[in-house]
């Protein structure tokens, strides 16, 4: 519930602005006051009349509205809210704030505030991937701005890929996580999940049998506890969690790049089943079948993402958690893996086929830390995630790893 909470909702000029109408309705259903601000471009997509009718109050659009200045200055407007939500956050608005520009009401409010800001970006896929936009996002993340979405899918412009604004209910979940607290509020946590696909040629790849279920359950539990979650996922079977910032990758090398660009974080949970090797010089065109001749694949080692993050000096997350999927001598192998990789904890499990754990709904894990090996009973993957996240919250609350 959001009763008693005031949300300053800034609507940017993008086709996704229509979803903001539903967002206002959902927020008000939960008892929140919504103070709407629209950019001039937003008015090309939705009318101020619809926005004010749904919000039940006046829409603010103009920086130089003198009556407004007399009644409630724009500085006051930006500071009286519990949370500022920018949805859709366009490349333009993101760029203005990252660059310190304030030439309209929305950008001025964003510059003049010390209230927490949550952005739901929406833009064309090429724009989203553009290095300038990615640089601006990194700048804002560094300033503590939170993000929800964007998702991936068909876009109004006819293209496909990341850039689609998060659905209203995902934004509501992210807002609730921030405003109703949770022990991990204000903590930024990275989760890697799913398998990686290592290309052989444009149509074939090498992969492993990870569904992404455990990593997704952990990210979901982190969101529920109020964390800002960056979820870097390979091609998984299960849908990514709501309320997290989702970065989809294919290969281990792409996963490492995404992980690096997500730093700094307070904790990193590496649940991905990363392929240890990739095909050296994967073919740019489809390898044709030639009678009597078998292709020979040469491999090279993939970067170890967990070890890279765990062993970075400056900027190392306060808590780094790895996973170990073993088939025998689980505790001995996982303990050795913990010291080899340099992480704080290892969540180890026995993935022998008879356990039914790989691809199943349950997990039986051993948590290996400084204080030894702690065996947990077999339980659902979400229950394992909840218990692990509880432990993470306690540890981060104490301001330490280990
Ligand atoms: N991991 C990673 N990058 C890799 C390989 C693994 O980040 N290239 C991470 C996984 O996400 C997991 C942990 O390391 O958290 C364990 O991976 P695993 O493949 O079991 O470890 P290895 O060192 O490859 O040992 P093994 O010989 O058992 O494969």
């Amino acid at each position: 519930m959001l009763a008693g909470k005031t949300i300053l909702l800034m609507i940017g000029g993008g086709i996704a602005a229509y979803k903001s109408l539903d967002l206002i309705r959902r927020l008000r259903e939960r008892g929140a006051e919504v103070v709407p601000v629209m950019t001039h471009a937003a008015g090309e997509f939705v009318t101020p009349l619809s926005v004010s009718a749904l919000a039940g109050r006046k829409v603010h659009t103009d920086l130089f509205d003198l009556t407004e200045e007399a009644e409630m200055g724009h500085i006051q407007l930006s500071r009286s809210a519990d949370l500022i939500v920018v949805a859709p956050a366009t490349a333009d608005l993101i760029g203005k704030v990252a660059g310190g520009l304030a030439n309209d009401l929305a950008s001025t409010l964003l510059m003049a505030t010390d209230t927490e800001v949550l952005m739901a970006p929406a833009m064309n896929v090429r724009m989203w991937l553009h290095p300038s936009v990615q640089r601006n996002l990194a700048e804002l993340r560094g300033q503590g701005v939170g993000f929800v979405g964007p998702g991936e899918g068909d876009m109004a412009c006819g293209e496909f890929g990341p850039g689609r604004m998060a659905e209203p209910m995902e934004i509501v979940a992210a807002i609730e996580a921030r405003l109703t607290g949770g022990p991990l509020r204000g903590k930024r946590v990275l989760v890697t999940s799913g398998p990686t696909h290592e290309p052989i040629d444009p149509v074939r790849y090498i992969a492993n049998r990870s569904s992404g279920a455990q990593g997704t359950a952990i990210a979901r539990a982190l969101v529920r506890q109020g964390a800002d979650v960056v979820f870097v996922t390979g091609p998984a079977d299960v849908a990514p969690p709501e309320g997290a910032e989702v970065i989809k990758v294919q290969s281990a090398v792409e996963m490492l790049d995404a992980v690096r660009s997500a730093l700094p974080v307070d904790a990193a949970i590496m649940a991905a089943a990363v392929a240890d090797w990739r095909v050296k010089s994967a073919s740019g065109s489809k390898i044709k079948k030639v009678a009597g001749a078998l292709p020979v694949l040469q491999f090279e080692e993939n970067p170890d993402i967990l070890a890279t993050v765990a062993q970075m000096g400056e900027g190392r997350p306060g808590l780094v958690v790895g996973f170990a999927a073993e088939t025998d001598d689980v505790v001995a192998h996982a303990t050795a893996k913990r010291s080899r990789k340099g992480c704080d904890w290892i969540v180890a499990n026995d993935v022998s086929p008879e356990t039914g754990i790989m691809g199943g709904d349950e997990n039986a894990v051993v948590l290996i830390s400084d204080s030894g090996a702690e065996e947990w009973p077999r339980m659902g993957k979400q229950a394992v995630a909840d218990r692990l996240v509880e432990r993470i919250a306690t540890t981060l609350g104490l301001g330490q790893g280990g």
Side-chain angles (χ1 to χ4, degrees):
M1 284 303 284
L2 294 168
K5 302 290 182 191
T6 302
I7 291 158
L8 185 68
L9 175 66
M10 292 188 187
I11 306 177
I15 183 69
Y18 78 92
K19 290 191 196 172
S20 303
L21 299 177
D22 191 33
L23 177 61
I24 296 172
R25 211 166 53 87
R26 305 284 185 176
L27 290 170
R28 293 200 67 206
E29 273 169 12
R30 285 164 177 73
E33 281 283 325
V34 179
V35 181
V37 171
M38 288 172 71
T39 64
H40 284 292
E44 301 290 331
F45 295 92
V46 290
T47 69
L49 186 61
S50 334
V51 174
S52 65
L54 285 163
R57 50 158 72 225
K58 180 179 170 2
V59 178
H60 303 273
T61 49
D62 209 341
L63 182 56
F64 301 107
D65 185 333
L66 292 180
T67 335
E68 199 60 26
E69 281 299 313
E71 285 166 3
M72 184 206 268
H74 59 261
I75 304 278
Q76 178 57 27
L77 186 60
S78 72
R79 294 192 185 160
S80 55
D82 294 293
L83 182 70
I84 297 182
V85 176
V86 188
T90 57
D92 181 66
L93 261 178
I94 290 170
K96 273 183 189 159
V97 184
L101 301 178
N103 65 349
D104 63 3
L105 181 60
S107 53
T108 302
L109 293 177
L110 285 164
M111 294 294 298
T113 192
D114 51 6
T115 303
E116 191 175 352
V117 177
L118 174 71
M119 291 192 170
M123 65 195 74
N124 167 272
V125 54
R126 295 269 158 252
M127 290 173 79
W128 173 254
L129 296 174
H130 195 284
S132 302
V133 171
Q134 288 297 320
R135 182 198 57 211
N136 291 338
L137 290 166
E139 167 64 29
L140 294 188
R141 277 191 201 112
Q143 292 177 17
V145 171
F147 288 90
V148 50
E152 188 171 279
D154 288 322
M155 308 186 78
C157 54
E159 291 186 50
F160 180 90
R164 198 163 74 167
M165 189 167 93
E167 293 305 319
M169 284 311 293
E170 290 175 55
I171 302 176
V172 168
I175 292 171
E176 281 182 332
R178 274 166 184 77
L179 290 185
T180 55
L184 288 171
R185 184 164 189 269
K187 300 286 182 197
R188 182 171 160 82
V189 183
L190 166 77
V191 179
T192 67
S193 183
T196 62
H197 284 184
E198 308 298 331
I200 296 172
D201 66 18
V203 296
R204 305 180 177 97
Y205 57 81
I206 291 169
N208 57 61
R209 292 182 203 281
S210 163
S211 64
Q214 188 62 80
T216 303
I218 292 168
R220 195 180 297 121
L222 287 163
V223 169
R224 283 191 198 140
Q225 297 305 321
D228 259 330
V229 179
V230 191
F231 185 69
V232 178
T233 177
D237 296 341
V238 298
E242 293 200 342
E245 181 189 342
V246 178
I247 304 177
K248 291 190 176 175
V249 297
Q250 295 283 326
S251 66
V253 168
E254 285 174 17
M255 187 172 274
L256 178 60
D257 280 350
V259 163
R260 280 193 204 278
S261 69
L263 298 176
V265 294
D266 296 289
I269 321 300
M270 307 297 206
V274 184
D276 287 323
W277 313 281
R278 64 176 176 275
V279 177
K280 199 172 177 179
S281 48
S283 173
S285 52
K286 188 181 171 197
I287 301 172
K288 300 303 285 180
K289 187 168 57 184
V290 179
L294 295 176
V296 176
L297 298 179
Q298 264 201 322
F299 290 94
E300 62 187 338
E301 215 170 299
N302 266 331
D304 191 317
I305 302 165
L306 173 61
T308 306
V309 172
Q311 291 167 28
M312 61 196 290
E314 206 184 325
R316 182 194 191 272
L319 179 67
V320 180
V321 182
F323 281 70
E326 309 288 347
T327 51
D328 48 279
D329 280 342
V330 175
V331 171
H333 280 139
T335 304
K337 198 168 281 182
R338 173 174 175 263
S339 55
R340 195 165 65 243
K341 303 227 183 194
C343 56
D344 301 303
W345 303 347
I346 283 272
V347 181
N349 58 9
D350 184 344
V351 291
S352 312
E354 62 274 17
T355 64
I357 283 173
M358 203 105 180
D361 296 332
E362 290 189 331
N363 207 350
V365 308
V366 183
L367 180 68
I368 316 260
S369 69
D370 244 357
S371 19
E374 185 184 311
E375 204 167 317
W376 292 4
R378 189 175 173 118
M379 55 183 116
K381 286 186 175 170
Q382 190 62 56
V384 170
D386 291 345
R387 188 159 165 179
L388 183 67
V389 167
E390 218 174 275
R391 191 65 72 85
I392 291 168
T394 312
T395 304
L396 289 184
L398 297 173
Q400 61 187 43

